Each structure stands twice: as structure tokens, then as C-alpha cells.
Amino acid sequence: MFLLSSEFKLTCQLFLAANLDRNIPIAFEEHTQYTDHNETLAKELWDQINIDAGMVALPDEFVATNGLPVAQRFPWDRSKGIYLLNGHHNLHCIRAIYISLMEFWQGVPQTRTWGHVIHCVDSLRQDIICNADDTPRYSTETRVPESGVGQIRLCRSWDKLEQWARQYNACYSYVNQTAPNDFPNIQRFIYCPKGSPYKREVEKVFGEVPSYEDL
């Protein structure tokens, strides 16, 4: 029998860090507003995708308890590390792929590097294999069959994930998305929400900075 090491078991528990169950019934949709023939409307929706909440500052105690690798230090509290929730990373990736495809379709210069786009494609491939979703999608009796249209599946709550992430807010905003690699990364960690205990530390270094809600 194959036995899991205690270290591997700890790592597996990370998938339950926010304690989210699959209890939200959502139907498969063949077409959504994100694929609308009105490209202006669709573009607005894709542009509104925001990953900021997924950048979290986790206390070292939480990291040690859950067997996470130690991460780069949170600049406003050295007892915390910076982590990006995988769901938000995937949203970032699918948005980058959409932008690249639309730029190709419209014949305009690419704002995302090829390396970034292919990384995102492979990241989504890895997640698909990892999740091994075994939901049987029924096929329609149409001339060109479609699969799963209107069929219900159980999903986790994205709202609850973001609610969980808010307690570890990292004062992050993904500004200057197409800036060169030498853009100072710390300048994305200065937009604390109102009431954040770190806002005063940020202002000691950068002076007065807008709250996240005022961006």
C-alpha cells in the first residue's frame, strides 16, 4: 500500500485553507456575457476582472501550521509572507490570454509577452489535470451537439473565498500591469483599505497614498 508522508499530508490540507465546500449549484453555460457578440460589453467585463483580493499576507504561524513554503516578506509586517491564491492566479491568467487573443484578432501590438501568455496556458493545463473534474456533461441532440448546457454542478463560493482573503489583506493593487520587469514591486503593496493597521507604515515611506477603495 502506498503511504503518504506526514509532510505530504500537511501540504494536501492547504486546499482546505479557507474551508470551502462544494455546495453552490451553478449551471454550465455555453455562452455568457464574457463571450457576447458585443465585443465592447465583453471587453468591459474582462477588464473588470480583479485579482487584488487574492494577494494575501499570511502570518508565519499560519504558514508553519499548514506546511506552506516560506514566502517573500510582507513589507509592512516582517512576520508575514506574501501569497497569491491559486484561484486569483488563474483569473489573472485567463484574462491575460483573453487580452492577447483579442489583440491578435484586432491586429494590434501585443501588450503581454509570449512567455507570460504561454506560462498562463500551461498553468491552466496543470490545474485542469490536478482537479480531474469527473462531472459527466450530457450531450445535446442537436445537429452540432453541445455538452452540459444548463446542467447543474456544485461549486465553491467565490464570495466566501474573497471574504476569507480579506482578513489577510496585503494592501495590494495590480497597478501598471504592463510595466517592464524593473517596475518596483513594492509600489503595488501601498494601497491599504481604510482602517488597515499598515496604512501608517506605508505613509512613513511613501507619504499620503490613496486608500484602496479610492483608486
Side-chain angles (χ1 to χ4, degrees):
M1 177 181 293
F2 178 71
L3 298 178
L4 299 178
S5 69
S6 58
E7 180 181 358
F8 184 79
K9 288 179 181 178
L10 275 175
T11 303
C12 289
Q13 292 172 8
L14 299 178
F15 292 107
L16 302 176
N19 293 313
L20 301 179
D21 296 320
R22 290 190 180 275
N23 55 9
I24 308 296
I26 298 178
F28 288 108
E29 296 182 63
E30 190 69 14
H31 300 288
T32 71
Q33 289 181 305
Y34 289 85
T35 61
D36 200 285
H37 292 301
N38 183 335
E39 291 183 1
T40 300
L41 171 62
K43 181 179 183 301
E44 287 178 359
L45 292 173
W46 284 99
D47 285 344
Q48 289 169 13
I49 289 177
N50 188 304
I51 67 162
D52 295 351
M55 194 71 73
V56 294
L58 299 180
D60 288 343
E61 182 179 359
F62 179 95
V63 169
T65 299
N66 289 279
L68 276 166
V70 175
Q72 64 170 300
R73 295 292 85 188
F74 181 44
W76 317 118
D77 183 343
R78 306 297 290 180
S79 69
K80 295 182 177 181
I82 296 296
Y83 298 81
L84 175 59
L85 298 180
N86 190 53
H88 291 77
H89 175 265
N90 285 346
L91 269 186
H92 157 78
C93 269
I94 201 64
R95 180 175 178 271
I97 294 167
Y98 168 82
I99 290 171
S100 181
L101 286 172
M102 291 304 296
E103 289 170 345
F104 171 78
W105 174 257
Q106 295 165 355
V108 299
Q110 292 282 315
T111 57
R112 270 63 182 173
T113 66
W114 172 247
H116 184 191
V117 174
I118 202 66
H119 152 75
C120 278
V121 171
D122 188 54
S123 290
L124 296 177
R125 179 197 66 81
Q126 291 179 51
D127 255 29
I128 291 166
I129 300 301
C130 177
N131 287 321
D133 188 346
D134 58 354
T135 303
R137 296 171 61 123
Y138 83 99
S139 58
T140 61
E141 295 181 356
T142 52
R143 186 175 64 83
V144 180
E146 297 175 334
S147 69
V149 179
Q151 183 176 337
I152 300 297
R153 57 176 167 172
L154 289 178
C155 303
R156 296 187 177 104
S157 169
W158 188 262
D159 289 340
K160 287 186 178 179
L161 177 61
E162 295 216 328
Q163 181 181 353
W164 178 86
R166 277 196 291 272
Q167 64 186 307
Y168 301 109
N169 184 277
C171 299
Y172 182 85
S173 181
Y174 191 27
V175 297
N176 296 309
Q177 297 182 25
T178 58
N181 289 334
D182 59 356
F183 178 77
N185 200 40
I186 193 172
Q187 290 188 21
R188 293 183 173 131
F189 290 92
I190 63 176
Y191 302 102
C192 300
K194 292 176 181 176
S196 169
Y198 305 115
K199 190 167 180 60
R200 181 174 297 179
E201 294 302 314
V202 169
E203 292 180 343
K204 286 179 182 178
V205 179
F206 290 94
E208 187 174 352
V209 177
S211 296
Y212 182 82
E213 296 89 344
D214 296 328
L215 290 178

